[in-house]
Amino acid sequence: MRDRILRFMAGRYGTDQLNRFLSVAALAALLLNLFLRVGLLWLLALVLLGLLYYRTLSRDHAKRRAENARYLQVRARVLAPFANLRDRWRMRKDYVFFRCPACRAMLRLPRGKGKLRVTCRKCGNAFERKS
Ligand SMILES: [Zn+2]
């Protein structure tokens, strides 16, 4: 039995980040369907699962890798605004974070140093700010 499964899976694409996302999204749709009874969410879950199995069992590795790369690009763009949130949270006691009034770049100052003269590294705008 194990041999037959291995032979069946030989040359198949397997899983990647996009497939992981598809399985989580399908599960989320199924759970939402269970609690909200919206109706067509189970159909969405079915489509997502179909896509997941199609990609997992596919033999066209180049196409699947390209899809995954596109997914990773989109994901990076969507998550970019939240990228430094964890760092900022960890450093919140030592630094104060704020945006440059001219170019909106994220800047930080050590906390509790009084009024400081700030020069934005991105645009060169200089201003004073309490730390
Ligand atoms: Zn600036």
Side-chain angles (χ1 to χ4, degrees), residues 13 55 61-71:
Y13 181 65
R55 294 192 77 252
H61 291 220
K63 226 175 216 169
R64 301 293 87 80
R65 258 196 300 269
E67 289 166 0
N68 191 50
R70 233 174 303 142
Y71 161 71

Side-chain angles (χ1 to χ4, degrees), residues 100-105 107 120-125 127:
C100 167
C103 73
R104 311 290 300 149
L107 304 172
C120 174
R121 287 182 179 214
K122 194 175 169 197
C123 70
N125 176 38
F127 55 98

Side-chain angles (χ1 to χ4, degrees), residues 70-126:
R70 233 174 303 142
Y71 161 71
L72 289 177
Q73 270 177 5
V74 170
R75 188 175 76 171
R77 210 173 312 137
V78 169
L79 295 181
F82 313 102
N84 296 323
L85 232 48
R86 197 192 304 155
D87 291 341
R88 279 168 52 191
W89 180 256
R90 210 175 34 231
M91 297 187 285
R92 72 191 181 280
K93 284 178 181 149
D94 303 321
Y95 294 95
V96 54
F97 292 86
F98 57 97
R99 292 197 177 274
C100 167
C103 73
R104 311 290 300 149
M106 186 56 73
L107 304 172
R108 73 172 191 191
L109 284 176
R111 270 189 197 280
K113 305 280 182 195
K115 206 168 211 178
L116 294 176
R117 179 136 194 92
V118 181
T119 304
C120 174
R121 287 182 179 214
K122 194 175 169 197
C123 70
N125 176 38

